[in-house]
Amino acid sequence: MSAAGVLFGCFALLLLMGAPITVALGAAAMAAFMVVGQDLSTMVQIAFSSVNSFPIMALPAFVLAGALMEVAGISRRLVKVAESMVGTVDGGLAISTTLACVFFGAISGSGPATTAAVGMLMIPAMIRRGYDPGYASAATASSGGIGIIIPPSIPMVIYGVVAQESITKMFVAGVVPGLLISAGLIVVHLLRCRGKNLSQGMVPWSASGLLCSLREGFWAVLAPVIILGGIYTGFFTPTEAAIVAIFYTLIIGIFVYKEISLKGLMKSLETTSWLTGRVLVIMFTAFAFGRLLVQYQIPDMIAQWLLEITSNPHLIWAMVIFFLLFLGMFMETLAIIMLVTPVLLPIMVAIGVDPIHFGVVLVCCCGVGFSTPPLGENMFIASGIGGVTLEEISLKALPFCFVTIGVIFLMAYVPGLILWLPELFGY
């Protein structure tokens, strides 16, 4: 059997047996290396070089910054600002949840972290004000996916490293898609909550109320401004921005809000170690797997096969998007990016697609995967907070998923929606 056959055969077999994606990737790569007679130390060297890079340092730093902002009280103040922006419109609290996810996503860069931080505050609040628990949980899980689209984004960092594209350019390109998806989710809330009298207990919108919440949450709102402003102006790199975010949070949490405790600090470090370790192990094995894909020209063969089916860019985009949405139901976001980028990026470049355009659409598709079963991490988090079954959340989340997918197709077919802002900034 050829090395490629061993690679895919072992990978598929281990997945069917229920092995974790990391084990399946690593064991399949190891078996293929043994078949071709290469020293396994070569595999380790390839994998190690993949995670031994300066941009990867942004990953644990952004995770730590997001975890610290939760215990520092910054996320709670961002939610209050979001509520004051909405007022008593129908579905106001659900809309506030979406806005809060946008704000927190501009700090954490993680979908599950955004869902947990915002959900702990907003799901119980929505249930108390008459929202169906399943709807409240589904709304939060769907909005949490914005956390990886609004910059800074951990998956965008990974894509930038794998595709060797500018991470800063990816961040800039993610702003408009994140806002478009947010707007789509808000429209769904307005339509589904109309006439249900769910605004009881909400404070009516007023300029004074908004100014008051902004004044109380000034330092919280300033966090994403400093982080993103520094990146976009070129004052510091994304990796340096993550370190700035950590120190900013520590200073505000200890000396201004005075809410960071030793226990909270240890919990943040534990969360960061667990999440970063899991991601780096996936990257370690996925790079070795990807090296073999490239060595045996498998991406070129898949690209040629697709182009033989059709040369229509719209049809190829549709096939790619549905394929990514399908993978998102079963695989982790970072594993998807590590696996499909070497395979699909050459295809998209061959039909004239900008790598940044493809990368943003890829990340947006992964965002949908957070709220689709059976893997959907955001759904598990929201299910635990709201006390509802996964089946109920899945059903209630369908309209949000359909709207998000519609926005993704719009962005795929109208590349200017993604690329105009990077061009405006001169990237």
Side-chain angles (χ1 to χ4, degrees):
M1 184 180 291
S2 66
V6 171
L7 183 71
F8 284 104
C10 288
F11 180 65
L13 179 62
L14 288 167
L15 284 182
L16 289 174
M17 292 171 60
I21 185 71
T22 306
V23 174
L25 287 169
M30 187 182 299
F33 269 98
M34 292 174 67
V35 165
V36 297
Q38 284 190 343
D39 191 343
L40 289 181
S41 62
T42 306
M43 172 183 164
V44 176
Q45 290 170 359
I46 292 169
F48 176 75
S49 64
S50 69
V51 297
N52 185 29
S53 65
F54 180 70
I56 290 295
M57 290 176 61
L59 170 64
F62 274 126
V63 173
L64 179 56
L68 286 172
M69 286 178 183
E70 185 177 351
V71 299
I74 289 179
S75 59
R76 186 178 71 253
R77 288 170 173 84
L78 289 175
V79 168
K80 190 173 181 180
V81 171
E83 287 184 352
S84 67
M85 293 174 64
V86 175
T88 56
V89 300
D90 288 336
L93 203 56
I95 295 172
S96 298
T97 300
T98 300
L99 294 177
C101 287
V102 172
F103 291 150
F104 194 79
I107 298 171
S108 71
S110 165
T114 301
T115 302
V118 176
M120 290 295 289
L121 299 169
M122 300 303 286
I123 292 177
M126 281 192 278
I127 294 173
R128 284 195 301 269
R129 290 176 182 170
Y131 285 81
D132 175 75
Y135 182 87
S137 302
T140 308
S142 302
S143 299
I146 300 171
I148 67 167
I149 302 168
I150 291 288
S153 162
I154 293 171
M156 286 184 181
V157 172
I158 303 304
Y159 175 82
V161 172
V162 177
Q164 296 184 340
E165 294 292 331
S166 167
I167 296 173
T168 302
K169 190 174 180 180
M170 282 292 296
F171 282 0
V172 176
V175 173
V176 173
L179 296 178
L180 284 175
I181 292 174
S182 305
L185 297 179
I186 289 172
V187 170
V188 175
H189 290 313
L190 289 171
L191 294 176
R192 295 184 71 183
C193 298
R194 186 171 52 188
K196 293 185 178 180
N197 193 29
L198 294 172
S199 60
Q200 51 185 318
M202 294 285 288
V203 178
W205 186 92
S206 66
S208 60
L210 178 58
L211 288 174
C212 181
S213 65
L214 285 172
R215 186 170 60 252
E216 292 177 1
F218 173 77
W219 297 106
V221 175
L222 195 60
V225 174
I226 291 175
I227 296 168
L228 299 180
I231 294 172
Y232 296 160
T233 58
F235 192 74
F236 38 67
T237 67
T239 303
E240 292 165 345
I243 305 303
V244 170
I246 292 172
F247 281 97
Y248 177 85
T249 305
L250 288 171
I251 292 170
I252 299 302
I254 295 173
F255 299 108
V256 180
Y257 294 151
K258 300 179 181 178
E259 294 188 21
I260 289 186
S261 63
L262 181 60
K263 182 179 179 181
L265 181 60
M266 297 306 295
K267 180 183 176 184
S268 300
L269 292 171
E270 181 183 349
T271 300
T272 303
S273 301
W274 176 79
L275 183 58
T276 303
R278 185 180 66 170
V279 171
L280 290 179
V281 169
I282 292 175
M283 289 187 64
F284 193 91
T285 54
F287 257 105
F289 191 94
R291 173 66 178 268
L292 287 166
L293 291 180
V294 174
Q295 183 175 333
Y296 292 98
Q297 300 181 325
I298 293 171
D300 295 336
M301 289 189 288
I302 295 175
Q304 185 178 355
W305 175 73
L306 265 179
L307 294 173
E308 285 175 357
I309 295 176
T310 178
S311 59
N312 187 320
H314 297 308
L315 288 177
I316 292 177
W317 257 125
M319 289 189 290
V320 167
I321 290 172
F322 283 123
F323 175 62
L324 293 174
L325 293 172
F326 174 75
L327 287 182
M329 297 170 63
F330 302 98
M331 292 175 62
E332 291 181 321
T333 295
L334 301 177
I336 293 174
I337 293 172
M338 297 293 298
L339 280 178
V340 307
T341 299
V343 176
L344 295 182
L345 184 57
I347 299 172
M348 306 314 290
V349 171
I351 62 173
V353 175
D354 188 283
I356 297 296
H357 180 204
F358 170 70
V360 172
V361 173
L362 167 60
V363 172
C364 290
C365 290
C366 292
V368 177
F370 282 119
S371 52
T372 52
L375 184 61
E377 293 176 71
N378 287 5
M379 300 181 72
F380 285 108
I381 294 170
S383 172
I385 297 172
V388 292
T389 63
L390 196 62
E391 291 79 10
E392 186 176 355
I393 297 181
S394 302
L395 188 63
K396 297 288 175 62
L398 285 177
F400 302 116
C401 291
F402 289 146
V403 168
T404 304
I405 293 169
V407 174
I408 290 172
F409 270 97
L410 178 65
M411 292 186 297
Y413 293 151
V414 186
L417 292 173
I418 293 174
L419 298 176
W420 77 270
L421 195 59
E423 290 172 359
L424 183 67
F425 275 81
Y427 290 107

